[in-house]
Amino acid sequence: MTVRNFLWGQAPSTKQERNLLFKLDFFILSYTCLVYFTNYLDRSNINNAYVSGMKEDLSMEGTDFNKILTIFTCGYIVGMIPNNLMLQILPPRLWLPLCQIVWGVLTFCTSAVTNVQQVYAIRFFQGIAESSTFVGTHYILGSWYKPGELGKRSGIFTSSGLAGTLFSGVLQGAVYSNLNGVSGRSGWRWLFIIDGVITLPIALYGFWLFPDVPATTKVFYLSDEDRQLAASRLQGYVEVRHSPLSWKLAKKVLTRWRWYACSLLFAISGETESFGSNNLMGQWLKAIGGYSVEQTDYYPSGVTAFGILSTLVCAIWTDYTQVRWPVLVYMSVSCIVASICILVWNSPTGLKFFAYYLAGASYSGQATTFAWANQICADDDQERAIVLASMNMWNNVVNAWWSIVFYPATDAPKFTKGMIAMIVICVATLAVTGLVWYLERREHRLGNRLEDTPTRDSEQEENQSTKENT
């Protein structure tokens, strides 16, 4: 096993397959990673803006910040399944860039708000548009790649979103230092303008070069032989045929365990990301005082940086071993340790920095969980689209109230309730991970048993026929 195979997966069997994978990696990952980068950039900028002057300029108080996050989440929930079903109707090459243009325009609009109520309205519709990206991309990745290739591609995609969060903190610090007050605008307003400028050109790139899915792709850089190979190499791994939508789909999905178990897994495990999604470290630094605005923007970037490292290492490891569940164990244990360190309030400041950075491990479970679901539902294209969307939808249903109950801004800097909730959610994640692992193994055993049954029946019929002839 070479280092290259360990890092990137088993080498393609032919030169044509190698060239195909190169094209797919370049055009699919370049676009989806850029989209998710701007998705998280436009999403996390509200966290940086809040601690960089928006709170004071808009006279925000109490849990106004948490309400912004919750309203965005509500929009995200509303758009989740409809956006993924639209990928069954319209080409992803059209739908995904269109949604990106919508949220890019809304990002521009945020720079001109005069009160928090306007932010509420914009973030709701921005949530609807942005909900297309995450589950839509995981559906696309699962349509082109084998299980042994999927984990690391999912990890790279997820890391691009984290890079958006990381860059947002650095960008806000730079904007505040250099543009605050320019043309009469606060630094946080310039952040939204710059984010919008970054977002829109990437959508145009998607209209031109994104390859859709194997069944519908018409891009110029894939030959007829490439399209046939893209479908044939997935046979036995992934169902890539498109069928008309019907109500039978709902019955099929709701009578299997996959929708329930996978949705429950990410609804729970996704809450470990509360450290980053609520910018708890930034709120902690702002509340205890003694740090400049730039430091409050920069220092939390370490959480994201460790999240990117954990995600990539875990994604490579899971593709190499073809085992997904240990990543969720690593993530849960890391977050339990981090929560305990923060709960012990008299502990040194350095230990709290370590705890918040360690909590970046929470991001490593995201790519693995969706790669696992893609793998579980690989035999049914439409079910896979529904399950992936539902996983993120139910996680955001929980997100809609989770931050208000357990991480209100008024609880800074200690977040005692939040740290206790984090420990509980990590223990629950371990339990549900075990459940999904068991159900998947049981399905494989039953499937093998059913495959063996016709063979035994045919053997009995053949023996009976032989006896009769005798």
Side-chain angles (χ1 to χ4, degrees), residues 53-367:
M54 185 177 74
K55 176 183 178 181
E56 292 76 14
D57 286 358
L58 301 185
S59 301
M60 294 172 63
E61 55 187 31
T63 59
D64 285 349
F65 174 69
N66 301 96
K67 290 176 183 176
I68 292 174
L69 299 181
T70 297
I71 289 171
F72 174 89
T73 301
C74 290
Y76 208 77
I77 293 167
V78 169
M80 197 78 59
I81 291 180
N83 274 319
N84 238 27
L85 288 177
M86 284 301 296
L87 299 181
Q88 300 277 324
I89 301 171
L90 290 180
R93 178 179 58 84
L94 299 179
W95 186 251
L96 294 180
L98 180 62
C99 290
Q100 189 180 16
I101 287 176
V102 171
W103 88 63
V105 171
L106 290 171
T107 299
F108 277 120
C109 293
T110 311
S111 69
V113 296
T114 57
N115 57 61
V116 72
Q117 287 75 24
Q118 293 171 352
V119 180
Y120 293 158
I122 290 172
R123 296 299 279 191
F124 176 78
F125 291 105
Q126 194 162 354
I128 293 176
E130 290 194 23
S131 66
S132 64
T133 300
F134 181 75
V135 292
T137 297
H138 278 292
Y139 168 74
I140 297 294
L141 293 176
S143 299
W144 286 99
Y145 293 106
K146 298 177 183 178
E149 301 165 346
L150 189 57
K152 58 184 68 66
R153 271 80 178 184
S154 298
I156 291 171
F157 165 68
T158 299
S159 296
S160 67
L162 297 178
T165 303
L166 181 65
F167 184 68
S168 181
V170 176
L171 179 63
Q172 177 60 61
V175 166
Y176 189 87
S177 299
N178 297 289
L179 292 178
N180 189 39
V182 174
S183 299
R185 293 181 179 273
S186 302
W188 66 268
R189 294 184 186 274
W190 278 109
L191 177 65
F192 290 104
I193 294 173
I194 293 171
D195 286 349
V197 170
I198 294 172
T199 299
L200 295 181
I202 297 171
L204 301 179
Y205 172 74
F207 280 126
W208 182 36
L209 291 172
F210 192 61
D212 290 328
V213 293
T216 60
T217 184
K218 296 179 181 178
V219 287
F220 67 89
Y221 52 82
L222 293 181
S223 65
D224 290 339
E225 291 77 10
D226 287 335
R227 296 185 185 101
Q228 292 172 6
L229 177 60
S232 64
R233 78 187 201 94
L234 295 180
Q235 290 180 1
Y237 295 103
V238 182
E239 174 57 64
V240 294
R241 290 178 300 173
H242 271 288
S243 302
L245 292 176
S246 69
W247 287 109
K248 292 180 180 179
L249 174 61
K251 179 181 178 181
K252 177 172 59 177
V253 170
L254 294 176
T255 53
R256 288 180 174 179
W257 67 268
R258 299 169 174 182
W259 183 82
Y260 300 97
C262 292
S263 296
L264 180 62
L265 178 60
F266 196 63
I268 293 175
S269 66
E271 292 311 318
T272 60
E273 296 178 17
S274 294
F275 281 104
S277 60
N278 293 283
N279 192 24
L280 299 187
M281 187 175 185
Q283 293 190 62
W284 168 62
L285 293 171
K286 186 177 180 68
I288 64 176
Y291 296 92
S292 66
V293 170
E294 292 86 351
Q295 288 173 322
T296 304
D297 285 324
Y298 288 145
Y299 288 165
S301 299
V303 180
T304 309
F306 187 70
I308 292 172
L309 177 63
S310 293
T311 296
L312 293 177
V313 171
C314 289
I316 292 170
W317 185 84
T318 58
D319 271 359
Y320 177 67
T321 61
Q322 288 292 286
V323 180
R324 312 287 185 189
W325 62 265
V327 175
L328 294 166
V329 175
Y330 157 72
M331 175 193 76
S332 300
V333 172
S334 296
C335 290
I336 289 172
V337 172
S339 300
I340 292 172
C341 291
I342 295 170
L343 275 174
V344 182
W345 187 248
N346 293 327
S347 61
T349 299
L351 181 61
K352 290 187 175 62
F353 267 85
F354 165 79
Y356 276 114
Y357 290 157
L358 177 64
S362 62
Y363 290 111
S364 63
Q366 187 183 101

